[in-house]
Amino acid sequence: MKVNISMETRETVDGETEVLQHQAFGILRKTSEGTKVSYTMDGVHHELEIHPDTESVLIIRNRDRERLLRYERNVHHIVEYETPVGSMELGFDTRDVVIREDLEGGADRMEIKLLYRLTQFGNPVADCQLRIAISPAQ
């Protein structure tokens, strides 16, 4: 099923908050493992794996499962994050994962909220909130 994906990221660094917004179109698939949403953003292929039963979200960039981003409540996850100028170590201290499915307005609508602290080489960098809204494409 084709879907609209709306993302809002709030990053607070040294008391200053920046809000970034992105829109994308993608493909939603329901599998026995959970819901998967594939999309391309800024020339990078992404796949969200959404697991409401374990309240976890995985983000796989460029089909590289070894460098996936894992969001699970109270889990510290470290990854070598690829950037255009090389890779760098990033840590994700997930504080909360909220997944709401089949919202008012019809099935196949989802809202995801991820609260986490971003670290680099073990040092806190930013407090972040990522909101993802998924709805059927018109």
Side-chain angles (χ1 to χ4, degrees):
M1 160 190 289
K2 290 184 180 181
V3 292
N4 295 317
I5 304 160
S6 177
M7 296 186 179
E8 178 182 279
T9 304
R10 293 181 177 273
E11 298 178 339
T12 302
V13 180
D14 296 329
E16 298 286 324
T17 299
E18 181 177 10
V19 178
L20 306 168
Q21 296 188 348
H22 297 283
Q23 302 286 325
F25 293 101
I27 303 295
L28 181 143
R29 300 177 325 279
K30 300 258 184 180
T31 71
S32 59
E33 301 156 3
T35 300
K36 296 183 179 188
V37 180
S38 299
Y39 61 96
T40 300
M41 186 177 293
D42 299 329
V44 176
H45 178 271
H46 293 80
E47 183 163 274
L48 286 174
E49 286 188 10
I50 305 158
H51 304 277
D53 55 332
T54 60
E55 295 183 310
S56 64
V57 175
L58 307 178
I59 300 177
I60 299 115
R61 300 174 76 231
N62 284 331
R63 297 174 178 86
D64 187 353
R65 292 193 70 82
E66 289 185 23
R67 296 183 187 201
L68 64 81
L69 305 178
R70 176 183 305 279
Y71 299 92
E72 278 183 80
R73 184 178 294 122
N74 299 323
V75 171
H76 177 72
H77 174 69
I78 296 175
V79 66
E80 285 293 317
Y81 190 83
E82 276 301 315
T83 73
V85 294
S87 65
M88 67 177 153
E89 177 187 287
L90 290 179
F92 297 83
D93 292 322
T94 305
R95 294 186 190 142
D96 199 12
V97 175
V98 178
I99 301 169
R100 295 177 51 214
E101 294 185 274
D102 298 333
L103 303 169
E104 186 175 323
D108 297 316
R109 292 181 182 272
M110 299 181 83
E111 286 182 6
I112 301 164
K113 182 170 82 169
L114 307 170
L115 298 174
Y116 59 97
R117 173 168 283 157
L118 186 64
T119 64
Q120 189 172 28
F121 305 110
N123 299 312
V125 174
D127 287 312
C128 303
Q129 175 179 298
L130 173 59
R131 289 180 176 269
I132 304 169
I134 301 166
S135 60
Q138 302 297 325

